[in-house]
Amino acid sequence: AVSEGTLQALALPRGSGKTTLCQCGILWAILTGKRRFGVLVANNQGRANQLLEDLKKWLECNDALFEDFPEVCYPIRKLEGISQRQRSQTYRGEKTAIDWKAGILRLPTIADSPSSGSQIIAVGLTSSGLRGLSVATRDGQKIRPDVVLCDDPQDAKSAASLEQTNTRERLIKSDLLGLAGPGQKMSMLITATIIQEDDLADRLLNRSKNPDFYGIKYKLVDQLPSRLDLWAQYNDLRVIALENGETNEEATAFYRDHKKEMD
């Protein structure tokens, strides 16, 4: 989706890391130059800001990212957490033009870097600043958003309201998809959790109603094992070990002996 300019709505069980996976997808697209302007959208501005803060923390502290993208991570590390330094930071006599503040991240302008001057911002879905987003690069280019992460765009209150559900669906289909501009491809990832029937998530994941979003629902469990009696014995061994302050060696051995039936 982030490479080719397509849409993808995903529903995974809570705790499965769907938001983190999509954050990584957005960051990868920006760092490799496949996309230039990312927008992180959430149910409210505070949550959207937190999504961006995660990306900033990775760029600043993750050594694996530093090894792969030093042209981005090194200038960020040299700020040493002091945002005032971004104004005077230079590379070979030219300002890097980093923008590192709440809700905004503009990557350093570095010659031959695929992500030079690319930007990621955070916006609440119902924010008044959602429309008409664009930014001018230092070399005079005007770029518009071309990759979006819309993370859980509803809450329990909005899911229970037909009016709010209709409004948020319109915002995603018109305002968000229109950010790229006429005739331009938009990459969009949507993480969704169905709260009730015909809520926003249920609509976006429904391939009959919204085939363009290519909704995919992942189950927590494909099917329960047929030999639950063996799993009960296994669990009893685990509980006994826990109560006695012992390791799970006996339970693990039991599983190994009965692996085929239990799986």
Side-chain angles (χ1 to χ4, degrees), residues 218-231:
Y218 291 94
K219 296 179 180 179
L220 180 63
V221 177
D222 289 328
Q223 66 179 53
L224 290 174
S226 57
R227 294 298 305 272
L228 288 173
D229 58 319
L230 293 177
W231 281 104

Side-chain angles (χ1 to χ4, degrees), residues 158-194:
S158 68
S161 167
L162 178 60
E163 181 181 359
Q164 289 195 45
T165 297
N166 289 338
T167 297
R168 290 169 188 242
E169 184 177 13
R170 176 184 57 78
L171 287 170
I172 290 173
K173 290 182 175 180
S174 60
D175 290 19
L176 285 187
L177 286 180
L179 288 175
Q184 300 301 310
K185 281 191 172 184
M186 168 66 78
S187 292
M188 183 184 294
L189 303 175
I190 301 176
T191 62
T193 302
I194 297 174

Side-chain angles (χ1 to χ4, degrees), residues 15 19-20 26 33 37 39-40 67 70 76 93 117 121 130 136 141 156 166 188 199 211 214 226 232 240 263:
T19 297
T20 302
I26 299 293
F37 192 163
V39 182
L40 306 180
E67 290 178 10
I76 289 173
I121 67 169
L130 193 59
Q141 295 183 56
N166 289 338
M188 183 184 294
D199 64 7
Y214 196 71
S226 57
I240 291 171
D263 288 355

Side-chain angles (χ1 to χ4, degrees), residues 154 159 162 165-166 194 196-203 209:
Q154 67 175 359
L162 178 60
T165 297
N166 289 338
I194 297 174
Q196 65 181 50
E197 186 178 357
D198 198 41
D199 64 7
L200 180 59
D202 195 24
R203 294 181 186 184
K209 293 181 178 179

Side-chain angles (χ1 to χ4, degrees), residues 11-251:
L12 287 85
R14 290 195 180 277
S16 58
K18 61 181 180 292
T19 297
T20 302
L21 289 169
C22 289
Q23 285 173 291
C24 290
I26 299 293
L27 186 59
W28 174 81
I30 295 292
L31 290 174
T32 56
K34 297 181 183 297
R35 300 286 144 186
R36 293 294 312 279
F37 192 163
V39 182
L40 306 180
V41 181
N43 180 49
N44 56 68
Q45 184 67 50
R47 172 58 182 159
N49 286 346
Q50 184 55 58
L51 294 174
L52 183 56
E53 288 303 312
D54 291 342
L55 269 59
K56 289 180 176 179
K57 187 179 296 182
W58 300 341
L59 290 169
E60 188 174 22
C61 303
N62 187 293
D63 290 335
L65 274 179
F66 182 87
E67 290 178 10
D68 287 341
F69 303 98
E71 72 280 5
V72 175
C73 297
Y74 182 74
I76 289 173
R77 288 193 178 189
K78 292 301 288 183
L79 295 177
E80 296 180 336
I82 303 172
S83 59
Q84 291 85 346
R85 291 183 177 176
Q86 64 190 17
R87 301 173 186 170
S88 58
Q89 188 183 75
T90 60
Y91 173 71
R92 294 183 175 175
E94 298 287 338
K95 287 191 174 182
T96 59
I98 289 180
D99 198 349
W100 184 278
K101 55 177 177 279
I104 296 176
L105 168 60
R106 184 168 64 233
L107 299 182
T109 300
I110 302 289
D112 299 324
S113 167
S115 63
S116 179
S118 294
Q119 184 157 315
I120 307 175
I121 67 169
V123 185
L125 180 60
T126 57
S127 168
S128 59
L130 193 59
R131 290 186 176 183
L133 290 173
S134 64
V135 64
T137 62
R138 200 179 66 186
D139 58 6
Q141 295 183 56
K142 191 172 185 179
I143 57 174
R144 294 176 62 95
D146 53 8
V147 61
V148 173
L149 166 58
C150 190
D151 184 54
D152 264 341
Q154 67 175 359
D155 54 25
K157 184 177 179 180
S158 68
S161 167
L162 178 60
E163 181 181 359
Q164 289 195 45
T165 297
N166 289 338
T167 297
R168 290 169 188 242
E169 184 177 13
R170 176 184 57 78
L171 287 170
I172 290 173
K173 290 182 175 180
S174 60
D175 290 19
L176 285 187
L177 286 180
L179 288 175
Q184 300 301 310
K185 281 191 172 184
M186 168 66 78
S187 292
M188 183 184 294
L189 303 175
I190 301 176
T191 62
T193 302
I194 297 174
I195 298 175
Q196 65 181 50
E197 186 178 357
D198 198 41
D199 64 7
L200 180 59
D202 195 24
R203 294 181 186 184
L204 296 174
L205 291 162
N206 188 318
R207 292 197 188 185
S208 297
K209 293 181 178 179
N210 289 293
D212 290 345
F213 287 97
Y214 196 71
I216 299 178
K217 302 177 185 178
Y218 291 94
K219 296 179 180 179
L220 180 63
V221 177
D222 289 328
Q223 66 179 53
L224 290 174
S226 57
R227 294 298 305 272
L228 288 173
D229 58 319
L230 293 177
W231 281 104
Q233 294 179 57
Y234 166 79
N235 191 58
D236 288 342
L237 293 172
R238 288 183 66 252
V239 171
I240 291 171
L242 180 65
E243 291 175 346
N244 294 334
E246 301 170 350
T247 62
N248 291 327
E249 290 180 9
E250 190 174 354

